[in-house]
Amino acid sequence: MDDPSPAPQPKAVPWSLSTWWEESPLSSNTLISRAPLPDTRCGECETAMNSKPESYFLLTKAVLRVVSASPDTCWQCRILLALAERKLGRRLGIDEELETWGARDNLQKITGLRVREGSKLSTGDEEENRLVNISSLETLPCPWNTFDAKQHTSLVAHMLGSHSYQVASAWLKTCVTHHPGCPGMEETLLPRRVIHIGANHTDICLVEHNSPTLGRYTCLSHCWGGAQPLTTTTHNIAQHLERIEWDSIPKTFQDAIKFTAHLGISYIWIDSLCIIQDSPQDWAEESAKMCSIYKNGHLTIAASAASNGSGGLPIRDSSSFVRLTGTTSSPESKPFDILGYFKLGLGDHPYPTNHRTPLLSRGWVHQEMLLSPRVAHFVKKELLWECKTVGTCQCPQPPPFRNAFFKEGHYEALNSPRQSGAQSAGGMLAHQWHKIIESYSRLQLSFPGDKFPALSGLAQQMSKKRGPAVRYLAGLWSDSLLTDLLWTAAYVWSLHSIDRILQGWSWAARDVPVIFPRMGTERNGSTCEVKALCNIIEAETTLATTDKTGRISGGRLVVRGRLFDASLYRDIELPDSKSGKAETKATVTLSVNTPMDPTGVKTFISYASERGTSFVLMTHSDAQGLKGSKPDELGILVKEGFNPDSMAELLSMERTDSREYMGSDIKVLRMGRVGRRLPTPNEKKWLADMEYALVLQGVDSESTELDGAKVARMYKRIGIIHEGREGYKGVEDAREDYWERYPSCFEQGGREETISIV
């Protein structure tokens, strides 16, 4: 059988753009018009610009058919065709169409362009389907008032056409010279071991300092990946101190070394090479120094797009950018300078939840990014910069997260005035710590035992700001302990973490994302106020190493408060193989004995449904809307919910009957309220106020006596209840009598008791 004949190639356009454009001798990305552009626009373009958009949601306008284009007499055709061909890197087909996009506030201004074949988008390379952003320089407004919806400076054009190393060097120079809050060129203490870069960047060796030594060094933040990168061990450290063969170094390490040499810096710290990996003692000693290592580094190089050591540091390809310059043929002979560049998608920008930046999903990286004074993120399609002062990126469009780890806000909080008084609950520092943990708890760790070591550097940094009288307690702090205990497991969890779920009162005892009550001062001037409804008598942890912020082997919390009797049930609906139903659903019902409810029993219901590799949790009040669905006549809303910490366990346990009693001795401990007060003169009014109570399960029998002294009964935390009161319309409906009008269900009843939570 004969081979099939090749598919026919699209017929090319009958003109060549080189007739009208030539490359600049200074840059292949710049096209200079060979002659003044026409001052007329063809009928095809006039029709396209004046037609109704195909879809207002997409802001798409009518298309320009290539077959009908008139670049010889139409300035718009000549510009759009030049942008399209240069962006695609090929000749246009006669049957293709140019799809123009307009600005939201003015559809007559073209802000974007992409090519499609007939009624479909071109089916070639992924790049062909991407939108080309079009703009003009702010110093030279477009003479046709068409491409000036977004204006950029000449610096943007320079960055788009520059090598990523040059851009990063310029950012570093600006940071060192013009940012008072960032470190300058001063030398700092070098880590115990660093990689030395010789005159030729391929001349590499490990150096060890046994006494304090000053210098400048970079740090590399990278993913180890499935294949272990080059490491230093007890067997090869002597060899590495003499020389590390260039060919044995992974590409990511090589690129980071080249970039460091480009910056004129002689040392780089790489964890796998500067820590002896098969020495538990060396690993414990050096990992405890992470705070100072990253803090003192001149720059941290983040290989954000590389999933392992072979990924390297991607360099932004300047071919995704083109610049058109020239003049018009009008009597005024006006100049023009137009930029076209590929618009980056949501997944192209680096931020912690972006699957295209694998490094940022790793738990260890969180403190590396925040502790470092400066970070250059090398991602697939661009370069992003973070320092204590600014966050920016190489492309001109703002990404969803200019600061991937919110470094600016972190250092603003650390430098904020220390608040005093019981009601401050740690103030801005507590608020920032909660933000750190909320982000950190969503990241991945290969080893559960790393949960505290991977946070140790940030804990040490925070400890210095909070002062020597404040104790660090398993990821919580003694000066904000009440609010730190009020963490809630987030609603979406991953099922892969079931085997790693632990018991305990710290958020770190659970392998799930967590959220905390809102703290700090808001933009509207409202402030947080905490009211304790229990008495925390004692809190202690047992360290597993000499690092006070490292691993722990146990902990105990002694609390005196009002305890309510409760019961907990589980119902599970398994998938129906006959109907093809694939979801496993669980219902958890918590019933609390309280006289404040008309029936004497307050019931909270939580639901979970397994969907593939994850499951979603919702509370009864969330599912039904706010209590009563509508506010009362005074505009007060009531929110209630029960969030089990162990929903993954409850969903995965084998079902025994239609309704299963989940253990005995369930108690509810009333903890405290966290509310937001309005600024003066309405400081007595509350915007919102939330009360929290822990759900506990007994782990021993009745309280016992030890050496004649009574020992408090022991419980473990299994969930949290929240009750909220807030104004329906916010500030307008803020009130002073929230809890008087709608008392808490735990306002009466229960019994005062001292218990121990483990």
Side-chain angles (χ1 to χ4, degrees):
M1 184 174 180
D2 295 333
D3 293 333
S5 58
Q9 296 297 313
K11 184 179 178 180
V13 294
W15 59 75
S16 172
L17 289 178
S18 60
T19 304
W20 300 290
W21 303 95
E22 64 178 341
E23 286 186 1
S24 166
L26 301 177
S27 172
S28 61
N29 299 96
T30 300
L31 298 182
I32 302 174
S33 179
R34 293 183 182 274
L37 261 65
D39 58 359
T40 59
R41 187 160 64 180
C42 67
E44 183 77 8
C45 284
E46 289 288 351
T47 301
M49 294 300 293
N50 293 315
S51 61
K52 293 182 179 180
E54 294 180 352
S55 168
Y56 182 77
F57 176 73
L58 294 177
L59 305 179
T60 305
K61 298 198 66 179
V63 297
L64 168 67
R65 295 174 297 165
V66 173
V67 69
S68 303
S70 306
D72 53 340
T73 60
C74 174
W75 60 264
Q76 183 167 305
C77 283
R78 193 176 296 186
I79 287 175
L80 293 179
L81 291 169
L83 287 171
E85 279 205 3
R86 291 292 292 194
K87 299 302 287 183
L88 297 181
R90 63 170 176 80
R91 294 281 297 275
L92 290 173
I94 197 73
D95 58 344
E96 290 181 305
E97 296 174 339
L98 305 186
E99 182 183 65
T100 61
W101 291 40
R104 183 177 294 275
D105 58 344
N106 189 343
L107 295 179
Q108 297 300 310
K109 291 186 177 182
I110 300 175
T111 62
L113 168 74
R114 63 181 178 181
V115 180
R116 68 185 192 181
E117 185 177 359
S119 61
K120 297 177 169 183
L121 290 171
S122 297
T123 55
D125 191 298
E126 173 195 359
E127 302 291 301
E128 295 196 9
N129 297 335
R130 293 174 62 200
L131 187 69
V132 175
N133 270 4
I134 306 174
S135 64
S136 60
L137 292 180
E138 66 178 7
T139 55
L140 191 61
C142 177
W144 305 285
N145 194 30
T146 302
F147 304 115
D148 62 347
K150 292 183 178 179
Q151 297 181 354
H152 297 300
T153 65
S154 56
L155 177 61
V156 169
H158 173 72
M159 285 199 300
L160 284 168
S162 299
H163 191 282
S164 293
Y165 284 11
Q166 296 172 324
V167 174
S169 298
W171 283 337
L172 178 59
K173 183 178 180 181
T174 299
C175 180
V176 168
T177 307
H178 300 294
H179 294 171
C182 297
M185 292 293 292
E186 61 272 11
E187 294 184 336
T188 59
L189 280 175
L190 293 175
R192 179 184 177 187
R193 301 186 195 95
V194 285
I195 304 298
H196 180 259
I197 305 171
N200 180 346
H201 66 257
T202 59
D203 184 15
I204 305 299
C205 69
L206 180 69
V207 295
E208 190 168 36
H209 302 105
N210 295 317
S211 60
T213 306
L214 294 177
R216 287 188 298 132
Y217 64 97
T218 64
C219 297
L220 174 64
S221 181
H222 66 103
C223 277
W224 284 43
Q228 191 179 52
L230 179 67
T231 62
T232 294
T233 66
T234 53
H235 302 289
N236 64 13
I237 185 171
Q239 177 186 343
H240 283 183
L241 288 170
E242 290 187 9
R243 181 180 178 85
I244 302 177
E245 295 298 329
W246 181 256
D247 292 340
S248 70
I249 300 175
K251 179 170 173 44
T252 300
F253 294 9
Q254 289 182 349
D255 288 353
I257 290 169
K258 291 177 184 177
F259 179 45
T260 301
H262 171 81
L263 297 175
I265 298 175
S266 301
Y267 299 100
I268 183 171
W269 187 88
I270 303 175
D271 55 356
S272 63
L273 292 177
C274 297
I275 300 176
I276 303 174
Q277 297 299 316
D278 61 349
S279 169
Q281 180 180 353
D282 191 73
W283 190 92
E285 291 176 356
E286 295 303 307
S287 64
K289 301 174 185 176
M290 290 293 188
C291 180
S292 62
I293 290 174
Y294 282 98
K295 177 183 176 182
N296 292 329
H298 196 64
L299 173 71
T300 291
I301 303 164
S304 302
S307 57
N308 52 49
S310 63
L313 302 181
I315 304 300
R316 182 180 174 91
D317 185 0
S318 60
S319 65
S320 62
F321 156 70
V322 64
R323 184 176 183 177
L324 305 178
T325 67
T327 60
T328 68
S329 60
S330 61
E332 298 86 359
S333 187
K334 293 182 179 180
F336 64 87
D337 204 336
I338 294 173
L339 308 181
Y341 53 92
F342 275 140
K343 180 178 181 180
L344 297 185
L346 183 65
D348 295 324
H349 291 288
Y351 56 93
T353 57
N354 181 0
H355 69 279
R356 296 191 185 184
T357 51
L359 175 70
L360 304 189
S361 68
R362 307 304 303 171
W364 275 98
V365 173
H366 196 275
Q367 68 173 1
E368 295 170 10
M369 298 299 100
L370 282 179
L371 292 171
S372 303
R374 293 176 277 257
V375 183
H377 294 274
F378 286 82
V379 289
K380 184 178 179 182
K381 298 184 183 297
E382 72 157 338
L383 183 71
L384 182 140
W385 172 270
E386 288 185 282
C387 67
K388 295 180 180 181
T389 307
V390 300
T392 188
C393 60
Q394 194 171 2
C395 78
Q397 66 189 86
F401 295 90
R402 271 288 182 192
N403 246 343
F405 284 92
F406 311 103
K407 183 187 292 291
E408 293 175 61
H410 177 68
Y411 284 96
E412 284 178 8
L414 291 182
N415 295 326
S416 64
R418 183 76 172 104
Q419 294 173 319
S420 61
Q423 292 184 341
S424 72
M428 292 299 296
L429 295 179
H431 176 55
Q432 180 59 23
W433 185 255
H434 291 169
K435 288 174 61 178
I436 289 172
I437 300 306
E438 288 176 352
S439 297
Y440 178 68
S441 65
R442 283 160 173 76
L443 304 180
Q444 302 171 17
L445 288 169
S446 298
F447 305 101
D450 287 350
K451 183 163 287 188
F452 290 121
L455 196 64
S456 176
L458 283 171
Q460 292 173 35
Q461 183 189 53
M462 184 66 71
S463 179
K464 292 178 181 178
K465 291 294 181 178
R466 292 200 178 211
V470 179
R471 292 180 298 137
Y472 181 66
L473 301 161
L476 287 64
W477 298 89
S478 61
D479 65 338
S480 59
L481 188 53
L482 179 63
T483 52
D484 290 355
L485 288 167
L486 305 182
W487 56 270
T488 302
Y491 290 156
V492 181
W493 304 339
S494 176
L495 283 176
H496 70 74
S497 62
I498 289 177
D499 294 335
R500 302 211 304 241
I501 289 180
L502 308 171
Q503 303 294 348
W505 38 267
S506 169
W507 57 267
R510 294 290 176 182
D511 202 14
V512 296
V514 299
I515 54 178
F516 288 88
R518 289 173 58 192
M519 301 287 291
T521 303
E522 297 292 322
R523 292 180 179 177
N524 60 11
S526 64
T527 55
C528 171
E529 183 170 312
V530 180
K531 180 180 180 181
L533 299 173
C534 67
N535 182 21
I536 300 176
I537 299 173
E538 181 183 355
E540 61 181 20
T541 57
T542 304
L543 299 176
T545 67
T546 56
D547 182 4
K548 295 181 179 180
T549 57
R551 293 189 174 109
I552 67 168
S553 57
R556 188 172 75 114
L557 181 71
V558 179
V559 182
R560 181 166 184 82
R562 189 173 295 174
L563 223 59
F564 295 80
D565 295 324
S567 57
L568 186 65
Y569 294 88
R570 180 194 69 162
D571 295 276
I572 288 188
E573 182 182 347
L574 297 174
D576 188 343
S577 57
K578 295 182 180 179
S579 65
K581 181 180 177 183
E583 288 189 348
T584 297
K585 295 183 178 180
T587 302
V588 178
T589 304
L590 176 71
S591 298
V592 186
N593 298 330
T594 168
M596 291 300 294
D597 193 273
T599 64
V601 178
K602 180 67 177 178
T603 301
F604 299 88
I605 301 175
S606 295
Y607 304 97
S609 59
E610 179 185 350
R611 299 173 184 174
T613 59
S614 64
F615 64 90
V616 177
L617 166 70
M618 65 179 71
T619 65
H620 178 73
S621 54
D622 293 329
Q624 299 297 323
L626 301 173
K627 184 177 180 180
S629 297
K630 296 180 181 179
D632 74 343
E633 68 275 11
L634 296 179
I636 297 178
L637 294 175
V638 178
K639 294 182 177 181
E640 299 171 340
F642 164 51
N643 296 79
D645 300 339
S646 55
M647 203 66 189
E649 292 173 304
L650 298 176
L651 186 63
S652 63
M653 288 171 55
E654 184 177 350
R655 178 178 174 178
T656 57
D657 51 37
S658 58
R659 189 162 212 223
E660 185 179 359
Y661 182 59
M662 299 303 297
S664 58
D665 199 13
I666 305 296
K667 306 292 183 184
V668 172
L669 174 65
R670 195 183 190 195
M671 293 292 291
R673 290 178 185 163
V674 180
R676 305 209 66 80
R677 280 191 183 273
L678 286 171
T680 54
N682 298 310
E683 68 275 8
K684 292 184 179 180
K685 290 188 177 182
W686 297 90
L687 282 171
D689 207 358
M690 190 75 71
E691 180 171 311
Y692 296 87
L694 297 187
V695 183
L696 310 168
Q697 184 175 25
V699 294
D700 64 355
S701 57
E702 295 298 326
S703 56
T704 58
E705 290 190 1
L706 181 63
D707 297 331
K710 213 168 192 180
V711 178
R713 285 212 49 203
M714 294 175 60
Y715 291 87
K716 64 179 181 181
R717 170 182 161 148
I718 61 174
I720 191 168
I721 293 172
H722 60 264
E723 281 194 89
R725 311 286 187 268
E726 67 180 44
Y728 177 57
K729 296 180 181 178
V731 175
E732 182 181 338
D733 287 337
R735 296 185 59 82
E736 302 177 32
D737 60 349
Y738 280 152
W739 296 101
E740 289 79 6
R741 186 167 182 82
Y742 287 114
S744 164
C745 65
F746 304 115
E747 196 68 41
Q748 296 179 14
R751 62 183 181 277
E752 286 288 324
E753 190 171 337
T754 299
I755 63 171
S756 177
I757 306 176
V758 294

